[in-house]
Amino acid sequence: MTKLIEKAFSKAAAYEKRSEYCEREKAKEDLDMATTLDPLRTYPYRYRAAGKLNSSLCLLM
């Protein structure tokens, strides 16, 4: 997947897909890069918001 990012027309989309399907520990970095490359993409924002929501719910329990 990393090699495909280098060749991708839309690098933001490629980073987004890698965050979904590849190395989970690098998902936040990939989403940050996708946002840097294309700030209008909505998936990285929704993903981060869902993560914060899950963290908040865990604190309430």
Side-chain angles (χ1 to χ4, degrees), residues 18-44:
R18 186 170 75 174
S19 76
E20 291 178 54
Y21 299 112
C22 294
E23 303 171 34
R24 285 303 202 185
E25 59 275 357
K26 292 186 178 183
K28 184 182 179 321
E29 293 173 27
D30 287 340
L31 292 173
D32 289 342
M33 181 58 77
T35 301
T36 300
L37 294 171
D38 185 359
L40 299 178
R41 296 190 74 79
T42 59
Y43 177 78

Side-chain angles (χ1 to χ4, degrees), residues 34-58:
T35 301
T36 300
L37 294 171
D38 185 359
L40 299 178
R41 296 190 74 79
T42 59
Y43 177 78
Y45 297 110
R46 290 190 319 234
Y47 183 86
R48 287 187 200 102
K52 288 181 182 179
L53 178 64
N54 286 339
S55 297
S56 298
L57 291 176
C58 289

